């Protein structure tokens, strides 16, 4: 016990020393302009540094203890860190509170992980555990759906939460659309946001220039995006893997640059404004009706409330996302869906079986693009203003991250990943710039603990023996 | 081991030559494979057997030569067809030397993918399928029935809903053959189907291939090193060496052919002198 503790203390001391040596230049002080021609001076943050180094020392000590089986001391240290982080005690910066508390949470998780793992394993092996797991995976999706439908009526549905809900659902829909291309057909598409942009600009231009309504343009925008998908796909889909990824990446950038520079059509970087929102049976969501129109509150005879528009938008995107999901689930059970998955598994074998690889990939690409087009025109109608700024590469990367982290090809995984990747950074807005750190941390944790995505289970598209009859597994 | 049915020429390979840059992989090879019979292509390593297969199944375009297939659907010039059309229209199916199943999909799904073109037509290129049309559901049920038939023949009914990649090696070999047969081919090309099988599995494979010849009545073209397979079940053997055809005939004739013995065992000085 004695020598081991000494070793751990030495190790933690070394870690703290390295942190201090690195941190003194990064955190310890910064140069500030003294003003009035007095030149530069130093602004010291040594207390911040000291707190951080102490926390790192304790954290490292706790991790070594947990790794060596000393779980209780590690948990005590972790809980102490959480208490210190959450307490009203005045630490020099808000970030340090988060740093200390999150460090403590991680330490506690690390300490109880082996127990939790054993316990979960033991429970899931008992017959009732197996039954529970089966029922859970069967009903989980329905529960999520019910929660999503009832959300606007729940007490915490304020404007901020509803906005976040609409945002998350938009990404769920985009994730489901991209899941067809990446998850099912196995085509790595890094320029998916281009089709999103096509849909958004299609609605923005057709509504502001020609006065067409949202519900008229929605199918047109989808078709337009699908057409772009076919136009891009036809020449490039003979490429495989990385080469396809590079070409789609380039395509995404080309679309953005065209939007930026084709000033006459798209108004360039200034974007397109005053895009009309979606209407409900011809009635608009506004306090005062525009000439010749009726407002929804007049039509329904209820008092005007700014939230109504948001609730309406929420249900539109929920409906669009569900259509995407149902369509995909259905396609998966059709010959074309099975051919997509077969192409992902082995293109050469597909060719030997007489499957036309180009056509099959093209359908996946076009259908994926179509759903991005729907989502794009919804986005334009929601924002009422769009500019090329909204369609940069990072959007494609986030959508792809949602699909990959969710578990390639898994529909429910996409939902979980979207909530995690879009919701989490929003909830952690208090962290300021550090929230991207939380984003990165979440991704690393998923990749470490669930390398095949959150939901890696694949349900067969067709069964010979009914599920659960024990024929195979 | 002769097939009782009347055999007809199924594929005629004429003057097939394949060059990769300066390397001549196949040099003016001609032979005929017949329906209701098993034709084996044998030869030492690097003799060009797999290259012949890749030309027939459209993975390579031959430099010179004509490949005429006379199937139920008419006459096809294979060297002029695109890769997937050879499977789709001419109905030539193949398996691979290193098994190429869809490992993440179930055994049944593998057999359903093989019936893709038929089912695509039945699903009205997905439109009828999306609407859940009865005609499509009947077609799908028929496809499952065909798959079940083949699973019974290869003894994998119980494993139908397992991922194909989880099956033992020998079962994967049999499944790949069943998958090729589910495309309802007129010519089945098997690239070393007995590779890696133990003697018992080899004997089962022999039975399967003979039943495919006799019950399904199609032509089987076979590349094989395992002589217990080749000599027992082949009706006709073509021997290649360094890209040239050095012998052709029934198993007995080929076995005693001096050129074949030379190719396999090498030439000793006495034989050259003599």
């Amino acid at each position: 016990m004695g020598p081991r503790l000494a070793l751990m203390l030495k190790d933690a001391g070394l870690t703290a020393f390295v942190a201090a040596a690195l941190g003194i230049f990064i955190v310890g002080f910064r140069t500030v302009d003294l003003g009035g021609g007095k030149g530069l001076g130093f602004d010291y943050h040594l207390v911040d540094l000291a707190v951080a180094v102490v926390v790192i020392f304790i954290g490292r000590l706790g991790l070594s203890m947990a790794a060596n089986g000393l779980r209780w001391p590690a948990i005590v240290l972790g809980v102490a860190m959480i208490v210190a982080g959450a307490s009203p005690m005045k630490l020099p910066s808000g970030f340090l509170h988060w740093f200390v508390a999150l460090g403590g949470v991680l330490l506690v998780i690390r300490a109880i992980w082996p127990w939790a793992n054993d316990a979960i394993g033991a429970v899931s092996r008992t017959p009732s555990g197996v039954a529970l797991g089966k029922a859970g995976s069967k009903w989980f999706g329905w529960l999520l759906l019910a929660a999503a439908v009832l959300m606007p009526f729940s007490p915490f549905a304020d404007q901020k939460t509803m906005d976040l809900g609409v945002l998350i659902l938009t990404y769920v829909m985009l994730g489901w659309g991209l899941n067809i291309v990446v998850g099912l057909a196995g085509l790595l598409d890094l320029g998916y946001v281009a089709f999103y942009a096509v849909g958004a600009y299609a609605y923005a231009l057709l509504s502001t220039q020609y006065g067409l309504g949202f519900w008229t343009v929605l199918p047109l925008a989808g078709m337009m995006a699908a057409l772009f998908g076919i136009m891009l796909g036809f020449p490039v889909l003979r490429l495989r893997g990385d080469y396809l990824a590079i070409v789609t990446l380039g395509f995404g950038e080309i679309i953005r640059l065209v939007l930026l520079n084709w000033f006459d059509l798209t108004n360039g970087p200034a974007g397109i404004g005053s895009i009309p929102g979606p209407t409900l049976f011809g009635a608009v969501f506004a306090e005062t009706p525009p000439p010749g129109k009726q407002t929804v509150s007049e039509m329904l005879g209820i008092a005007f409330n700014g939230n109504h528009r948001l609730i309406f938008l929420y249900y539109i995107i929920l409906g669009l996302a569900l259509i995407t999901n149902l369509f995909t689930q259905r396609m998966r059970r059709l010959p074309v869906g099975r051919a997509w998955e077969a192409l992902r598994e082995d293109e050469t074998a597909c060719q030997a079986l007489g499957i036309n690889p180009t056509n099959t990939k093209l359908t996946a690409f076009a259908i994926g693009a179509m759903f991005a087009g729907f989502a794009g025109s919804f986005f334009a109608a929601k924002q009422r203003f769009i500019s090329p700024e909204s369609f940069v590469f990072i959007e494609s990367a986030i959508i792809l991250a949602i699909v990959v982290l969710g578990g390639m090809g898994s529909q429910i995984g996409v939902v979980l990943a979207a909530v995690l990747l879009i919701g989490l950074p929003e909830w952690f807005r208090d962290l300021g710039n550090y929230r991207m750190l939380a984003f990165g941390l979440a991704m690393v944790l998923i990749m470490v603990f669930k390398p095949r995505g959150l939901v890696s289970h694949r349900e067969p598209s067709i069964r010979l023996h009914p599920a659960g009859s024990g024929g195979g597994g | 081991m002769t097939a009782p049915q009347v055999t007809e020429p199924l594929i005629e390979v004429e003057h097939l030559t394949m060059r990769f840059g300066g390397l001549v992989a196949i040099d003016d090879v001609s032979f005929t494979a017949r329906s209701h019979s098993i034709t084996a292509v044998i030869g030492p390593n690097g003799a060009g057997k797999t290259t012949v297969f890749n030309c027939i199944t459209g993975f390579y375009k031959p430099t010179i030569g004509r490949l005429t297939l006379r199937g139920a659907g008419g006459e096809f010039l294979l060297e002029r067809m695109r890769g997937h059309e050879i499977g789709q229209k001419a109905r030539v199916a193949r398996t691979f030397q290193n098994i190429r199943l869809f490992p993440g999909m179930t055994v049944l799904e593998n057999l359903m993918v093989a019936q893709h073109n038929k089912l695509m037509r039945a699903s009205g290129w997905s439109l009828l399928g999306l609407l859940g049309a009865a005609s499509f559901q009947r077609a799908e049920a028929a496809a499952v029935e065909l798959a079940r038939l083949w699973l019974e023949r290869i003894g994998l009914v119980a494993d139908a809903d397992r991922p194909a990649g989880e099956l033992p090696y020998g079962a994967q070999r049999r499944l790949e053959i069943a998958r090729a047969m589910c495309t309802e081919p007129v010519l089945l090309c098997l690239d070393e189907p007995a590779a890696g099988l133990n003697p018992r599995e080899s004997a089962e494979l022999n039975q399967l291939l003979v039943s495919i010849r006799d019950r399904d009545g199609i032509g089987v073209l076979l590349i094989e090193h395992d002589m217990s397979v080749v000599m027992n079940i082949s009706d006709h053997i073509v021997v290649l060496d360094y890209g040239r055809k050095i012998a052709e005939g029934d198993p007995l004739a080929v076995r005693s052919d001096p050129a074949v013995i030379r190719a396999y065992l090498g030439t000793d000085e006495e034989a050259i002198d003599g």
Side-chain angles (χ1 to χ4, degrees):
Chain A
M1 181 74 218
R4 257 199 342 192
L5 189 66
L7 270 179
M8 284 182 217
L9 282 171
K10 200 172 144 195
D11 174 60
L14 191 67
T15 311
F17 174 72
V18 170
L22 287 175
I24 191 155
F25 299 109
I26 303 170
V27 186
F29 55 86
R30 64 171 65 166
T31 49
V32 286
D33 190 353
L34 294 175
K38 278 184 248 163
L40 294 174
F42 287 119
D43 182 9
Y44 292 97
H45 292 274
L46 292 177
V47 182
D48 296 46
L49 182 64
V51 173
V53 168
V54 169
V55 169
I56 287 168
F57 177 82
I58 296 174
R60 177 72 199 183
L61 186 65
L63 282 180
S64 327
M65 282 173 160
N68 280 300
L70 298 171
R71 284 174 197 161
W72 284 110
I75 291 174
V76 169
L77 283 182
V79 169
M81 278 167 75
I82 297 173
V83 170
S87 71
M89 180 178 74
K90 206 78 189 119
L91 289 177
S93 74
F95 172 70
L96 273 176
H97 276 282
W98 279 103
F99 182 70
V100 175
L102 282 179
V105 170
L106 282 181
L107 186 53
V108 171
I109 290 177
R110 172 66 187 85
I112 62 174
W113 182 255
W115 283 337
N117 222 4
D118 289 350
I120 292 169
V123 166
S124 64
R125 271 192 299 276
T126 62
S128 57
V130 171
L132 196 71
K134 272 196 179 140
S137 56
K138 189 176 165 192
W139 291 105
F140 185 61
W142 292 106
L143 275 176
L144 271 185
L145 177 62
V149 170
L150 296 176
M151 210 280 273
F153 302 107
S154 67
F156 48 88
D158 55 358
Q159 198 187 343
K160 192 183 164 204
T161 320
M162 290 297 294
D163 258 332
L164 187 58
V166 171
L167 190 68
I168 290 177
L169 281 173
T170 312
Y171 278 95
V172 167
M173 176 167 179
L174 287 169
W176 276 339
L178 186 62
N179 209 358
I180 299 175
V181 183
V182 178
L184 292 182
L187 306 166
L188 186 50
D189 182 355
L190 292 180
Y192 192 62
V193 78
F195 305 121
Y196 188 46
V198 168
Y201 270 86
Y203 174 58
L205 291 171
L206 288 174
S207 64
T208 54
Q209 308 284 326
Y210 298 98
L212 295 180
F214 177 74
W215 298 107
T216 323
V217 177
L218 190 66
L220 290 178
M223 273 192 271
M224 195 98 99
L227 194 70
F228 269 75
I230 292 172
M231 264 165 39
L232 167 70
F234 206 70
V236 308
L237 280 178
R238 61 197 65 232
L239 301 174
R240 291 188 192 188
D242 306 349
Y243 303 100
L244 179 70
I246 300 283
V247 174
T248 52
L249 177 71
F251 177 74
E253 283 303 288
I254 289 169
I255 291 279
R256 193 178 61 84
L257 290 175
V258 167
L259 293 177
L260 208 54
N261 292 299
W262 192 355
F263 203 85
D264 299 335
L265 184 74
T266 66
N267 203 20
I272 302 175
S274 33
I275 302 167
T279 53
L280 179 65
F281 300 114
V284 295
F285 285 86
E287 192 156 15
T288 49
K293 292 262 175 77
Q294 196 189 14
T295 67
V296 171
S297 41
E298 278 171 3
M299 186 175 79
L300 298 175
I302 49 173
F304 173 77
N305 183 337
N307 263 350
H308 288 163
R309 176 178 170 309
L310 213 49
I311 293 174
F312 183 53
L313 285 173
Y314 178 85
Y315 279 118
I316 292 180
I317 188 65
L318 183 62
L320 285 175
L322 285 178
I323 289 172
T324 313
N325 183 24
L326 285 178
F327 187 85
T328 313
Q329 300 273 23
R330 192 106 203 187
M331 286 303 259
R332 234 195 109 220
R333 287 174 168 74
L334 290 182
V336 67
R338 268 181 228 127
W340 288 340
E341 290 198 78
L343 268 180
R344 177 192 69 198
E345 303 264 309
D346 195 326
E347 191 173 333
T348 308
C350 278
Q351 195 185 329
L353 294 173
I355 295 171
N356 184 337
T358 316
N359 284 0
T360 311
K361 286 184 192 173
L362 215 52
T363 53
F365 220 65
I367 289 172
M370 179 179 77
F371 286 118
F374 290 151
S377 58
F378 170 80
F379 175 75
K382 181 196 91 174
Q383 296 292 84
R384 301 190 150 179
F385 165 78
I386 53 167
S387 73
E389 290 263 296
S390 309
F391 309 105
V392 288
F393 169 70
I394 189 75
E395 294 292 319
S396 291
I398 289 176
I399 303 166
L400 187 66
I402 288 174
V403 173
V404 174
L405 293 183
M408 300 266 269
S410 160
Q411 298 290 91
I412 205 92
V414 165
V415 179
L416 297 180
V419 170
L420 208 65
L421 291 194
I422 305 302
L424 212 59
E426 293 300 318
W427 284 317
F428 282 100
R429 269 212 184 269
D430 299 347
L431 282 175
N433 283 334
Y434 294 104
R435 75 197 171 96
M436 287 320 270
L437 210 66
F439 181 90
L441 189 70
M443 275 173 112
V444 170
L445 285 178
I446 294 173
M447 282 291 119
V448 169
F449 290 109
K450 287 263 178 189
R452 292 182 58 204
L454 291 171
V455 183
S456 51
H457 169 75
R458 178 182 176 277
E459 181 62 26
S461 64
I462 190 167
R463 282 177 179 277
L464 194 62
H465 315 288
S469 72
Chain B
M1 273 269 193
T2 46
Q5 292 95 337
V6 187
T7 69
E8 288 163 1
L10 182 62
I11 181 165
E12 267 178 65
V13 177
E14 293 165 275
H15 306 292
L16 180 66
T17 302
M18 183 78 209
R19 293 196 197 102
F20 297 103
L23 177 83
V24 183
I26 315 173
D27 189 5
D28 197 22
V29 168
S30 302
F31 65 90
T32 302
R34 306 175 74 89
S35 62
H36 298 289
S37 73
I38 296 175
T39 307
V41 179
I42 65 170
N45 285 326
K49 305 177 298 280
T50 300
T51 311
V52 170
F53 258 45
N54 282 340
C55 288
I56 292 175
T57 51
F59 284 85
Y60 295 154
K61 289 278 161 261
T63 318
I64 305 172
R66 194 158 77 160
L67 304 159
T68 318
L69 182 101
R70 293 195 181 83
E75 198 174 285
F76 298 95
L77 293 176
L78 300 184
E79 79 278 3
R80 299 194 186 165
M81 298 172 82
R82 287 198 291 157
H84 70 271
E85 287 177 345
I86 291 177
Q88 188 181 3
K89 299 192 175 131
R91 300 208 161 278
V92 176
R94 75 168 291 178
T95 65
F96 295 85
Q97 203 168 331
N98 40 352
I99 304 173
R100 279 181 174 274
L101 290 169
F102 307 121
M105 301 174 79
T106 66
V107 170
L108 178 63
E109 283 176 318
N110 269 270
L111 300 184
M112 296 296 282
V113 170
Q115 305 178 57
H116 175 77
N117 289 311
K118 184 174 69 181
L119 286 172
M120 272 307 264
R121 267 194 308 281
S123 75
W125 284 268
S126 302
L127 285 178
L128 289 176
L130 275 175
L131 299 172
S135 62
F136 169 67
Q137 282 171 0
R138 275 197 302 277
E140 195 178 55
V144 172
E145 234 7 81
L146 179 65
R148 180 201 287 275
L149 200 82
W150 275 101
L151 288 175
E152 275 162 11
R153 281 176 77 170
I154 61 172
L156 288 177
V157 178
D159 298 306
D161 298 324
R162 274 175 70 187
E166 283 181 7
L167 294 180
Y169 189 81
Q172 293 198 15
R173 282 263 176 228
R174 294 203 302 278
L175 178 60
E176 204 190 10
I177 295 173
R179 188 181 66 180
M181 286 306 294
C182 276
T183 65
E184 296 165 86
V186 295
L187 175 66
L188 175 66
C189 302
L190 303 170
D191 196 345
E192 299 200 19
L197 300 188
N198 61 34
R200 191 177 54 78
E201 289 172 325
S202 251
E204 282 172 9
L205 178 76
N206 281 359
Q207 276 177 7
L208 179 65
L209 295 186
V210 167
S211 91
I212 286 174
R213 174 189 66 189
D214 296 345
R215 271 170 66 180
D216 304 275
I218 66 166
V220 177
L221 194 59
L222 178 77
I223 292 178
E224 194 44 76
H225 279 299
D226 187 335
M227 285 302 145
S228 74
V229 174
V230 173
M231 291 301 164
N232 279 334
I233 63 169
S234 304
D235 301 301
H236 189 75
I237 296 178
V238 177
V239 191
L240 298 184
D241 192 24
Y242 293 110
R244 289 202 183 82
K245 185 175 82 177
I246 57 168
E248 188 175 9
D250 60 46
L252 269 180
V254 163
R255 206 195 296 236
S256 51
D257 191 305
V260 177
I261 297 169
R262 244 200 324 276
Y264 271 92
L265 301 177
T267 330
D268 56 29
E269 279 164 36
E270 227 172 302
I272 293 172
D273 293 342

